[in-house]
Amino acid sequence: MSTKVSKDIEARIDDILVGAIDPHVHSGPSIATRAIDHLELARMLSAARFAAVITKDHDYSGVIAATMIASHHPELITKVYSSIVLNNVVGGFNPYAVEHTAAMGGKTVYMPTLAAENHLRWEKSGTWVHPASTQKMRPATAVPVLDSSGNILDEVKEVLDVIAKNDMALASGHIHVSETWKVFEEAKKRGVKRLILTHPEEIVDASLNDVKGIAAMGAFVEHSLCMFLEGSKFKVAGPDDMRKLIDAAGVEQTIMCSDLGQPGVFSPLEGFRLGAKMCLDLGFTDDEVHQMVSTNAARAHSLEADVARVKAL
């Protein structure tokens, strides 16, 4: 009986993941050690009939690799897109780099991660070492978003204007949640329509009230499954925490991502399968889980056509 139940759950997860999107995944090549590259990832997710993936590297925009994969591998079901993270290597708040990413089909612009002032504070007392930290480059220097008076810097505003003009998604990265409030409010004023709070469960110091309020302003709340799964070296929370976080934002504003691709942990696909099972075990319906692994990410990144394409296959 237990075997039948297990098979039933696996079949349900198969169906839930048809048309899924992983909007935040760390495939390689990268200066940080990765277990899988962009093409291998696309092949893995195509086998599970994912609609799309948006790669993320802390040091470069992957739009060139995404374009080459699309050109040379039209057989892949999963479409590969990429993002840019505004850390030191791209010049921080560099509007030229953001415009280039947009022109090449990039979907997401992240506020600083490894170079965020908040991240540099966090890593001094963090319970785990961030896998993208490396001795191969000079240490990160802070890329601030606010001036000494707590106001948004002009260079941040210039980048927000580029994001708005190109209808890209703005993700909060590793800046502190108190900074996210200010950046998102300014972004909305400047016409940015797609806002994403990055993993409130770790690094950014977000409370459930922050999650509820930021979702209420229209932002999506994105959870890194690697931080919830038993056996993951990045685990900092559990199923009960996930339930509270989803309840705070609402299913309709919640997105799941793997945030995986590192060695010594689940593959991105396995992360999604385990994450889907966790959500089913928490009592969410198949349709609700599908909304959190597919529909909401499609809305956040304008990928509805990719989801429809895969479901029609």
Side-chain angles (χ1 to χ4, degrees):
M1 185 68 175
S2 61
T3 301
K4 181 178 185 301
V5 170
S6 176
K7 286 182 178 178
D8 286 347
I9 288 287
E10 292 302 314
R12 287 168 63 193
I13 291 171
D14 288 344
D15 291 341
I16 287 168
L17 293 183
V18 172
I21 296 167
D22 191 347
H24 177 162
V25 58
H26 294 286
S27 45
S30 175
I31 198 168
T33 306
R34 300 302 185 208
I36 189 170
D37 68 28
H38 307 317
L39 180 55
E40 290 169 330
L41 175 66
R43 285 171 171 156
M44 172 188 289
L45 297 185
S46 288
R49 297 177 66 194
F50 271 55
V53 60
I54 304 174
T55 68
K56 176 187 178 188
D57 193 275
H58 293 283
D59 296 311
Y60 73 92
S61 170
V63 290
I64 303 302
T67 300
M68 290 185 70
I69 290 170
S71 297
H72 292 286
H73 294 278
E75 78 282 2
L76 292 171
I77 291 173
T78 305
K79 297 300 181 186
V80 180
Y81 300 95
S82 195
S83 59
I84 188 170
V85 186
L86 302 179
N87 286 327
N88 302 129
V89 179
V90 301
F93 289 99
N94 180 353
Y96 295 96
V98 177
E99 286 178 342
H100 178 268
T101 299
M104 293 294 296
K107 291 294 182 180
T108 316
V109 179
Y110 284 86
M111 289 289 102
T113 56
L114 306 186
E117 291 178 309
N118 176 66
H119 180 97
L120 295 173
R121 288 191 297 267
W122 168 82
E123 68 180 0
K124 293 177 181 176
S125 58
T127 56
W128 49 277
V129 177
H130 197 284
S133 300
T134 174
Q135 301 303 311
K136 298 173 186 174
M137 294 168 53
R138 66 185 68 193
T141 56
V143 176
V145 297
L146 307 177
D147 64 20
S148 57
S149 299
N151 299 311
I152 303 285
L153 290 165
D154 287 344
E155 52 261 42
V156 179
K157 294 177 183 177
E158 189 172 3
V159 163
L160 294 179
D161 289 342
V162 176
I163 295 170
K165 180 181 178 181
N166 292 280
D167 196 25
M168 301 171 84
L170 167 65
S172 60
H174 292 188
I175 64 175
H176 192 270
V177 69
S178 61
E179 299 172 312
T180 297
W181 277 102
K182 292 184 177 182
V183 170
F184 279 10
E185 286 166 358
E186 184 67 28
K188 288 189 71 174
K189 289 179 189 174
R190 304 183 92 83
V192 177
K193 295 182 174 62
R194 306 175 190 278
L195 303 171
I196 300 168
L197 173 61
T198 306
H199 51 54
E201 49 272 3
E202 178 67 313
I203 301 176
V204 304
D205 201 26
S207 68
L208 288 175
N209 281 337
D210 288 317
V211 169
K212 184 175 182 179
I214 288 174
M217 73 156 59
F220 290 95
V221 179
E222 182 184 270
H223 300 298
S224 295
L225 290 168
C226 67
M227 297 179 182
F228 293 89
L229 300 176
E230 207 61 53
S232 169
K233 60 185 177 182
F234 305 119
K235 185 178 185 295
V236 294
D240 290 344
D241 301 297
M242 179 65 88
R243 176 87 228 192
K244 291 173 184 175
L245 286 160
I246 295 173
D247 288 346
V251 168
E252 66 281 357
Q253 293 302 119
T254 297
I255 291 173
M256 300 296 171
C257 70
S258 72
D259 204 352
L260 288 164
Q262 310 85 351
V265 71
F266 311 113
S267 72
L269 177 56
E270 186 64 13
F272 260 83
R273 295 191 68 84
L274 292 169
K277 184 177 186 305
M278 175 178 64
C279 290
L280 291 173
D281 289 345
L282 286 170
F284 293 102
T285 67
D286 294 38
D287 286 345
E288 287 173 329
V289 179
H290 180 75
Q291 185 171 356
M292 294 187 287
V293 301
S294 173
T295 312
N296 294 342
R299 287 168 52 212
H301 299 283
S302 190
L303 296 174
E304 293 92 343
D306 284 325
V307 173
R309 169 183 52 80
V310 171
K311 290 190 174 183
L313 293 175

